[in-house]
Amino acid sequence: MYDTIIVGAGLAGLQAATTLSAAGKDIVVLEARDRVGGRVENIALKDGRIVEMGGQWVSPGHERMHALIDAQGLQTVEPGGGDMVLRLGGKAKKIHVEQPAAQDDLSPFEFSDLGQALLRLRRLARKVTDNPTWAAANDRWLGQSLQQWQDVNLRTEGGRRYFARLVEKALGIHPEVTALEDALQRVSTGVDLESYVVTSGGVRQARVVGGLAQLTDEMARGLGDRIRLSTPVTRVEHAEGHVIVTCEGGDRFEGSSLVLTTPPRLLKTIDFEPDLPAERYDMADKIPAGNVIKA
């Protein structure tokens, strides 16, 4: 009988296994896929370059992730300058992304302030385009400068400075001399400002050199044959003083405790005896599955 059975070999499962194993516990990790890493995955191209298909960004606030990266002897690099191509509405636009400067660091509050303003600006641009009658009735208000609109809709100095630089570089306009209506037209036809912020390193995000999946691969290497791949769990039974886990194909594992690290929505793929509380299933239903596309 194992001390602990861990379901899932993503970052959470691998870290739990590493911690328990270091404490001398007898553990086993059951992973449904044929690889470790969960939502972290590297794909090697024919020329040897790596494309990260899953999670990749590490920010200054991720102290535990930085500690894991350091423990494995991996290095991080912050985004530099370069060219970015955005394809929107069938049209491709190439813009240059400059090396982020130190003053581009935004606090979480400033970044949230910036994000809310960009959302309001995009919605306003859509309203002007979709409702010309409203735009005509508010012609005088739309004639104010973008600077005036910016001062009302952004509450932080850091957010205002970033916004002004952003529209200048992405849209080629200066807020103090550009009418709000003219700016909205450029927003409707130009580059997506939110995408520009995310890819320009405004929150000083870093990547692991060679891909973040190196981290999970190294953690798995340290656990060796304690990890069982291609072993999806189908049933969990709580007996007196221990737990019995049954896998697809009939393999059974017994342990004193269970650590379940699967995404909440996957709870419905496992039979529990006794059944989980109804509110646990309700919570799982309300957490949407990830839906991210990278190019």
Side-chain angles (χ1 to χ4, degrees), residues 40 123 136 139 204 208 214 218 231 246 281:
V40 174
R123 286 177 174 172
D139 180 64
R204 308 299 292 177
V208 172
Q214 290 180 109
E218 287 299 320
T231 310
T246 304
Y281 288 115

Side-chain angles (χ1 to χ4, degrees), residues 49-108:
R49 287 183 297 172
I50 295 296
V51 176
E52 295 181 84
M53 302 298 289
Q56 68 188 61
W57 299 108
V58 186
S59 293
H62 298 160
E63 288 88 359
R64 293 184 181 181
M65 182 61 72
H66 278 291
L68 282 176
I69 292 169
D70 292 341
Q72 297 297 338
L74 300 174
Q75 294 181 324
T76 59
V77 60
E78 290 186 356
D83 291 327
M84 177 175 70
V85 177
L86 293 181
R87 187 173 181 85
L88 300 169
K91 297 181 180 179
K93 182 177 180 65
K94 184 177 181 179
I95 57 177
H96 182 71
V97 180
E98 295 185 354
Q99 171 70 34
Q103 65 266 28
D104 281 343
D105 279 334
L106 297 177
S107 69

Side-chain angles (χ1 to χ4, degrees), residues 6-251:
I6 299 167
V7 180
L11 272 167
L14 292 173
Q15 180 56 37
T18 300
T19 301
L20 290 170
S21 182
K25 302 297 183 182
D26 186 20
I27 59 101
V28 64
V29 182
L30 307 178
E31 168 57 47
R33 303 190 193 193
D34 60 358
R35 62 171 181 84
V36 300
R39 284 170 282 183
V40 174
E41 182 180 12
N42 280 0
I43 295 293
L45 302 180
K46 291 181 179 180
D47 61 5
R49 287 183 297 172
I50 295 296
V51 176
E52 295 181 84
M53 302 298 289
Q56 68 188 61
W57 299 108
V58 186
S59 293
H62 298 160
E63 288 88 359
R64 293 184 181 181
M65 182 61 72
H66 278 291
L68 282 176
I69 292 169
D70 292 341
Q72 297 297 338
L74 300 174
Q75 294 181 324
T76 59
V77 60
E78 290 186 356
D83 291 327
M84 177 175 70
V85 177
L86 293 181
R87 187 173 181 85
L88 300 169
K91 297 181 180 179
K93 182 177 180 65
K94 184 177 181 179
I95 57 177
H96 182 71
V97 180
E98 295 185 354
Q99 171 70 34
Q103 65 266 28
D104 281 343
D105 279 334
L106 297 177
S107 69
F109 185 73
E110 290 171 330
F111 194 74
S112 175
D113 186 34
L114 175 66
Q116 289 292 323
L118 293 178
L119 177 62
R120 293 190 196 103
L121 190 69
R122 177 157 45 84
R123 286 177 174 172
L124 185 57
R126 188 180 301 124
K127 186 172 185 178
V128 169
T129 300
D130 295 344
N131 194 340
T133 301
W134 179 90
N138 291 273
D139 180 64
R140 185 173 180 180
W141 181 79
L142 289 170
Q144 68 176 304
S145 70
L146 180 60
Q147 175 84 55
Q148 292 174 295
W149 183 92
Q150 167 193 304
D151 291 343
V152 171
N153 285 273
L154 284 108
R155 301 179 181 182
T156 63
E157 285 302 317
R160 288 172 180 170
R161 286 195 300 269
Y162 196 108
F163 179 86
R165 290 197 303 272
L166 177 64
V167 296
E168 179 182 346
K169 295 181 184 301
L171 303 179
I173 59 177
H174 297 276
E176 65 274 14
V177 296
T178 302
L180 175 60
E181 186 172 17
D182 293 337
L184 294 175
Q185 290 177 353
R186 289 182 179 251
V187 169
S188 297
T189 59
V191 63
D192 177 66
L193 296 177
E194 287 93 333
S195 296
Y196 193 96
V197 171
V198 170
T199 55
S200 67
V203 290
R204 308 299 292 177
Q205 294 175 332
R207 296 175 66 184
V208 172
V209 177
L212 187 60
Q214 290 180 109
L215 175 61
T216 51
D217 289 344
E218 287 299 320
M219 294 173 74
R221 194 170 290 114
L223 293 167
D225 59 7
R226 297 180 185 88
I227 301 176
R228 307 286 185 93
L229 300 177
S230 302
T231 310
V233 171
T234 58
R235 183 175 174 82
V236 172
E237 301 173 64
H238 287 273
E240 187 172 348
H242 68 286
V243 63
I244 303 169
V245 176
T246 304
C247 300
E248 195 174 279
D251 289 341

